[in-house]
């Protein structure tokens, strides 16, 4: 049995020298009782075997969903490598044990453990969670509890680990503010190291810690130190205040609210920043991670090599939180993409690579990149390429022909709205012709099945818009029939959940009844259409997501109650239970009506006003007003700046290899975007790929123009 | 060219399924840049054929894989077969060691068709050595041993007895037993030879058979259940199981699809220690 004995003290200076005892024999004895036991053994290709040292900060990176969902997460893998490359850090991983394993673990008194060394979670300095969906929040609480760490941050003792969270949902951290010590907003590549430096500094200075009071004070000192790291939000350093319930300051026409409205969230200490700004890495080329992508022993989702083409998206779809919070666009140099693909395939043995981003077909020279991967002799002609997110207006016959050469992977397009009017409101400016051309390209190249994604419950939506979904899908089936009799089109319909830091953050979500009504409209209209399948997301789950999505700090009590009553794995249909959520809301004096369905007014204090994704609040409000006026906005990558704030605020800019939009990228505006070169940019001499990353830091505010043009 | 590989599955990796192992092999073979033959069609796959599936959780010293190399590619003739075990072992997860490799006749029957029985070593707890010896004797003496088996999602009653070719309590250090631990201190060793035609018998099913012959009611007993069932007779629970050999019949003699060089003596000794029961 391996034993890790740490002689140093805990980061906050506690006396406790944590025994790092390998739990494997105890884990092993449970595995014959559980499903998919290989979830708990580790040993993947790319897994590290870090050696714990007293002077190194130890991180347990936790994905709060099952192994199969969590393992492929690229964000977690990137941080895992960055931390393990540091001499003063070690990182291991954990995922949420499935319900059968959790029951076995609790019965045996076995805590959450890491997969590398099978160490107890409590033995780590940091428990770091990835928040990629709202419904996993109850799992976060459960995993903290399973780690034998107090769920409430206020109850944590000096020797307890620091609980950190990051990921897209961290942009509205308030519902988890009572449970998480600090959040990281935006890109984690740099922030994780800066946090590590703070913790390593505290560790080095930590007294032997006989004095508990001193130790407690030092945990507070630590929190205040962490709040000074740019992009790090420490909830303890901020205090929300609420308006008296009778007051009608902002909305005189409104009735007295059932729940006191938030007045403001303000810093408690003089040095605490009033507003926490997200972190943005300027040059993706400097971060060619993951270098050693994990290859799981069991089948997981997205089980393939993943290479990130670019980060950020400026198409400006108003419902899309990812597009709003990850601006500006930062492309990875094409040569680096090719290198990462070639080396990644050789190292992993995968025969499929996904070129990931928020809209992969927008990558400068995407066709050339795909072709060069498929034609690479080292791939022996057996490697397939998939582009997980395709905009229809950038998907051409050429791209279709390339990606189907080896193996046809699924093709999914996301028109999102059923009518042009609807798509103007949400600023997904793709014309019907664009969609039909893309679908035609796909079917003509031999695809038999196409999937379409739509949202219902969007602002200003009418039944005509809803039924437009069926019309579009019907036309797609008809196009497919020209090429093959047996084509199928699947339309997936999801209920819209307004997200923070988007123009729709003020919108009152559709009720469950309204979403159900729309689902039925669609199903009825689609029934006679042969070859068309409708799938829909449960409107009840949509409502639960809405509860958490824009909740304030008081929502923590609701999440806690749902968890305490057994509501884990709420992302999973078989475990989701809306009643747990509505009961908890009622017990806290809240309601779906107020928390989810209510439109917010322009001057209402929002629980995330003290946090920033770079986007100015007035830009978002103007975009919301434009949306209601059905006014679309072009992509600022190829047109002049709207001053949303994402670039100017940080002194960075889009990094694209081509200032010309991809074929068909007119965004339906009819505007000739081939004049993209007239955008005021500074052209840089083309540099060889090796020099790109080295020169990345002094590029200033220029668009980098490279060789790749499609 | 068709080549046959013999490999182990020991330690933590035993918790992966047969399907998982197949995918590990696909990736390892691609990393080794072997000139694999692919199936035709929209979704070409390398032509691999595994022998009898090993139940998830069981270890093995005798797994086999047949790989077809593309004879139209010039690299195929240059493949250095004897170097493959070391080269592939490096590319496979810990616990999967490639021990033998040899070219086989392309037209030969598949492993699944050829293999007629498998030898196993097991550790069983929940019973004393004496109790287990009695249960083994009862099973061997019984004309039929009806057990509930799952087949295509349905439970059906099946006679285990014809499939038990040999069975004995044995604490002999059989091959692989060093990998079968760490067993519960109280566990007892069993060696068995189980038929694979028409259907393979799994170690858990054998233990179910021991339960069936020892108690009045086979209902409600399952392998892996907790030890303290309050059963005085002693309900055996399977702790660990390791497949030590797969057997094929050739010219009336029983032999392994590929001999494990250097391990021959040990393997023979253990096999002959088995009490032939049929």
């Amino acid at each position: 049995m391996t034993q890790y004995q740490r002689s140093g003290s805990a980061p906050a200076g506690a006396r406790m020298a944590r025994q790092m005892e390998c739990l494997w024999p105890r884990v092993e004895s449970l595995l014959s009782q559980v499903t998919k036991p290989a979830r708990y053994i580790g040993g993947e290709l790319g897994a590290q075997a870090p050696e714990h040292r007293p002077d190194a900060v130890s991180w347990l990176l936790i994905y709060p969903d099952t192994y199969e969902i969590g393992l492929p997460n690229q964000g977690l893998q990137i941080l895992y490598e960055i931390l393990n490359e540091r001499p003063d850090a070690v990182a291991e991983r954990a995922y949420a044990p499935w319900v059968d394993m959790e029951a076995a673990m609790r019965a045996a008194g076995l805590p959450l453990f890491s997969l590398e060394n099978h160490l107890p979670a409590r033995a780590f300095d940091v428990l770091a969670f990835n928040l990629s969906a709202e419904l996993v929040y109850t799992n976060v609480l459960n995993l903290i509890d399973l780690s034998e760490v107090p769920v409430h941050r206020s109850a944590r003792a000096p020797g307890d680990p620091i609980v950190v969270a990051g990921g897209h949902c961290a942009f509205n951290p308030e519902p988890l503010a009572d449970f998480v010590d600090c959040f990281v907003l935006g890109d984690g590549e740099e922030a994780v190291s800066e946090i590590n430096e703070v913790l390593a500094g505290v560790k080095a200075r930590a007294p032997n810690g006989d004095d508990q009071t001193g130790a407690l004070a030092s945990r507070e000192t630590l929190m205040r130190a962490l709040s000074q790291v740019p992009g790090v939000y420490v909830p303890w350093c901020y205090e929300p205040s609420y308006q008296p319930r009778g007051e009608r300051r902002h909305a005189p026409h409104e009735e007295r609210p059932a729940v006191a409205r938030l007045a403001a969230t303000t810093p408690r200490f003089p040095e605490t920043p009033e507003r926490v700004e997200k972190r943005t890495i300027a040059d993706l080329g400097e971060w060619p991670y993951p270098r050693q992508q994990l290859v799981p022993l069991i089948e997981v989702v997205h089980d393939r090599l993943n290479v990130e083409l670019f980060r950020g998206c400026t198409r400006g779809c108003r419902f899309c939180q990812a597009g709003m919070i990850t601006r500006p666009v930062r492309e990875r140099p094409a040569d680096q993409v090719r290198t990462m693909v070639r080396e990644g395939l050789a190292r992993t043995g995968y025969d499929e690579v996904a070129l990931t981003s928020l809209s992969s077909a927008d990558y400068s020279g995407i066709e050339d990149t795909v072709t060069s991967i498929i034609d690479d002799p080292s791939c022996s002609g057996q490697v397939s390429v998939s582009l997980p997110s395709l905009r229809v207006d950038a998907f051409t016959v050429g791209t279709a022909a390339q990606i189907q050469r080896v193996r046809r992977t699924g093709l999914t397009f996301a028109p999102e709205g059923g009518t042009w009017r609807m798509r103007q409101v949400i600023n997904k400016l793709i014309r019907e012709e664009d969609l039909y051309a893309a679908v035609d390209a796909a079917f003509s190249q031999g695809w038999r099945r196409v999937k379409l994604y739509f949202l219902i419950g969007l602002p200003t939506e009418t039944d005509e818009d809803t039924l437009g979904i069926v019309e579009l899908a019907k036309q797609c089936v008809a196009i497919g029939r020209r090429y093959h009799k047996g084509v199928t089109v699947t339309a997936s319909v999801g209920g819209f959940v307004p997200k923070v830091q988007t123009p729709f953050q003020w919108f009152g979500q559709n009720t469950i009844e309204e979403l159900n009504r729309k689902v039925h409209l669609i199903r009825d209209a689609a029934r006679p259409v042969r070859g068309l399948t409708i799938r829909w997301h449960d409107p009840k789950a949509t409502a639960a997501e809405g509860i958490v999505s824009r909740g304030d700090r008081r929502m923590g009590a609701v999440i806690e109650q749902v968890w305490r009553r057994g509501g884990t794995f709420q992302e999973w249909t078989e475990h989701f239970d809306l009643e747990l959520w509505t009961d908890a809301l009622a017990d806290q004096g809240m309601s779906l009506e107020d928390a989810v369905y209510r439109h917010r007014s322009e001057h209402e204090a929002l629980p995330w006003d003290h946090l920033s994704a770079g986007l100015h609040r007035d830009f978002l409000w103007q975009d919301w007003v434009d949306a209601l006026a059905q006014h679309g906005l072009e992509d600022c990558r190829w047109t002049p700046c709207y001053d949303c704030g994402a670039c100017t605020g940080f002194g960075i800019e889009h990094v694209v290899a081509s200032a010309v939009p991809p074929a068909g990228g007119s965004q339906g505006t009819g505007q000739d975007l081939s004049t993209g070169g007239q955008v005021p940019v500074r052209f840089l001499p083309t540099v060889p790929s090796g020099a790109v990353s080295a020169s990345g830091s002094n590029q200033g505010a220029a668009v980098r123009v490279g060789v790749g043009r499609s | 060219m068709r080549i046959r590989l013999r490999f182990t599955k020991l330690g933590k990796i035993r918790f992966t399924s047969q399907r998982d192992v197949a995918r590990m092999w696909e990736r390892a073979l691609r990393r080794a840049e072997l000139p694999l033959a692919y199936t035709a069609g929209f979704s070409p796959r390398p032509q691999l054929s595994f022998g009898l599936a090993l139940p998830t959780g069981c270890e093995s010293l005798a797994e086999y894989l047949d790989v077809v190399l593309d004879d139209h590619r010039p690299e195929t003739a240059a493949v250095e077969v004897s170097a493959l075990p070391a080269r592939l072992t490096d590319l496979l997860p810990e616990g999967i060691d490639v021990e033998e490799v040899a070219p086989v006749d392309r037209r030969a029957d598949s492993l699944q068709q050829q293999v007629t029985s498998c030898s196993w070593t097991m550790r069983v707890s929940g019973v004393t050595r004496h109790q287990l010896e009695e249960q083994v004797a009862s099973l061997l003496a019984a004309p039929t041993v009806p057990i509930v088996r799952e087949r295509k999602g349905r439970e059906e009653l099946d006679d285990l007895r014809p499939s038990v070719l040999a069975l004995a309590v044995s604490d002999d250090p059989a091959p692989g037993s060093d990998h079968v631990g760490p067993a519960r201190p109280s566990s007892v060793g069993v060696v068995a030879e189980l038929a694979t035609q028409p259907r393979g018998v799994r170690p858990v099913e054998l233990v179910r058979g021991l339960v069936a012959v020892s108690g009045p009611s086979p209902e409600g007993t399952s392998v892996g259940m907790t030890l303290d069932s309050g059963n005085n007779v002693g309900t055996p629970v399977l702790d660990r199981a390791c497949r030590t050999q797969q057997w094929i019949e050739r010219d009336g003699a029983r032999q392994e699809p590929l001999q494990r060089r250097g391990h021959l003596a040990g393997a023979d000794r253990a096999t002959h220690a088995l009490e032939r029961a049929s």
Side-chain angles (χ1 to χ4, degrees), chain A residues 24 28 31 37-38 41 45 118 295-299 303 346-351 382 406-408, chain B residues 12-16 19-20 23-24 26-27 30-31 38 42-45 56 73 93 182 184 224 240:
Chain A
W24 171 249
E28 186 179 36
L31 293 185
I41 65 174
L45 179 68
H118 287 92
V295 183
L297 299 172
I298 63 171
E299 205 160 0
D303 200 358
R347 191 187 69 82
T348 60
Y350 274 128
D351 62 351
Q382 297 297 347
V406 173
R407 205 170 297 123
R408 268 180 212 125
Chain B
K12 286 180 185 175
I13 201 81
R14 76 182 187 276
F15 292 111
T16 58
R19 197 176 135 80
D20 297 330
R23 291 164 355 106
M24 288 170 214
E26 277 193 33
R27 291 192 299 259
R30 272 194 299 266
R31 287 170 67 196
Y38 279 80
F42 279 135
S43 201
R45 312 283 351 156
T56 303
R73 285 174 60 179
R184 288 168 215 248
R240 300 286 285 256

Side-chain angles (χ1 to χ4, degrees), chain B residues 47-98:
Chain B
Q47 293 181 32
L48 309 181
S49 107
F50 290 85
L52 223 55
L54 183 70
T56 303
C58 292
E59 293 178 291
S60 178
L61 294 171
E63 295 305 289
Y64 295 93
L65 164 65
D66 284 358
V67 179
V68 182
L69 300 182
D70 188 346
D71 291 324
H72 301 294
R73 285 174 60 179
E75 303 96 301
T76 297
V79 170
E80 210 182 311
V81 172
S82 62
L84 283 179
R87 195 168 143 204
L88 288 167
T89 300
D90 276 351
L91 300 174
L92 286 157
E94 198 181 319
I96 298 189
D97 289 353
V98 183

Side-chain angles (χ1 to χ4, degrees), chain A residues 644-674:
Chain A
C644 71
C647 296
T648 46
F650 301 106
I652 51 174
E653 264 238 10
H654 300 310
V655 180
V656 292
S658 165
V660 181
S666 72
Q667 288 248 307
T669 55
Q671 193 187 6
D672 177 14
L673 292 182
S674 62

Side-chain angles (χ1 to χ4, degrees), chain A residues 56 369 390 464 500 512 569 580:
Chain A
T369 303
L390 284 172
E464 196 185 326
V500 309
I512 296 174
F569 287 107
L580 283 175

Side-chain angles (χ1 to χ4, degrees), chain B residues 46-278:
Chain B
Q47 293 181 32
L48 309 181
S49 107
F50 290 85
L52 223 55
L54 183 70
T56 303
C58 292
E59 293 178 291
S60 178
L61 294 171
E63 295 305 289
Y64 295 93
L65 164 65
D66 284 358
V67 179
V68 182
L69 300 182
D70 188 346
D71 291 324
H72 301 294
R73 285 174 60 179
E75 303 96 301
T76 297
V79 170
E80 210 182 311
V81 172
S82 62
L84 283 179
R87 195 168 143 204
L88 288 167
T89 300
D90 276 351
L91 300 174
L92 286 157
E94 198 181 319
I96 298 189
D97 289 353
V98 183
E99 301 196 320
E100 289 301 331
V101 61
V104 290
D105 186 349
R106 255 197 110 137
R107 293 153 304 175
D109 280 346
S110 75
L111 283 161
Q112 210 126 14
Q113 291 167 307
Q114 284 183 299
V115 172
T116 53
S117 69
C118 296
S119 294
W120 296 85
T121 62
M122 295 169 222
R123 304 293 306 184
V124 169
S125 58
V127 284
T128 63
R129 188 187 167 89
H130 177 69
Q131 286 169 337
L132 191 62
E133 275 168 351
E134 285 187 346
Q135 288 166 353
V136 164
S138 314
L139 190 144
L140 292 177
T144 62
V145 181
I147 56 157
V148 177
R149 302 177 78 182
E150 200 174 296
R151 186 170 203 181
K152 290 178 183 165
R154 279 188 310 127
E155 289 196 336
E156 54 185 46
L157 214 57
D158 212 348
D159 183 11
L160 175 75
R161 185 62 192 87
S163 300
V164 183
L165 307 180
L167 181 64
V169 173
S170 164
D171 280 334
D172 285 350
S177 64
D178 49 330
H179 303 287
V180 175
R184 288 168 215 248
S186 59
S187 72
V188 186
V190 176
V191 288
E193 188 184 334
L194 303 174
T196 60
Q197 309 281 2
R199 265 184 84 193
V201 173
R202 297 154 166 258
V204 285
E205 291 165 337
L206 175 69
V207 175
R208 213 173 284 163
L210 290 172
V211 175
V213 296
S214 64
S217 157
E219 316 294 320
T221 46
S222 71
V223 169
M225 64 182 289
T226 47
L227 301 183
D228 39 9
S229 54
N231 188 345
N232 287 335
V233 184
T235 304
V237 175
L238 183 64
D239 276 353
R240 300 286 285 256
C242 180
R243 173 146 76 188
T244 53
Q245 285 100 7
Q246 299 192 37
W247 299 110
I248 59 177
E249 307 280 346
R250 193 174 291 159
D251 309 324
R254 194 181 70 158
Q255 55 180 260
E256 295 187 83
L258 276 186
Q259 291 289 334
R260 194 176 170 223
R261 267 191 300 261
H263 301 274
L264 209 55
D268 270 0
R269 194 182 61 234
T271 311
H272 293 141
L274 287 179
E275 213 176 282
R276 296 292 294 181
S278 58

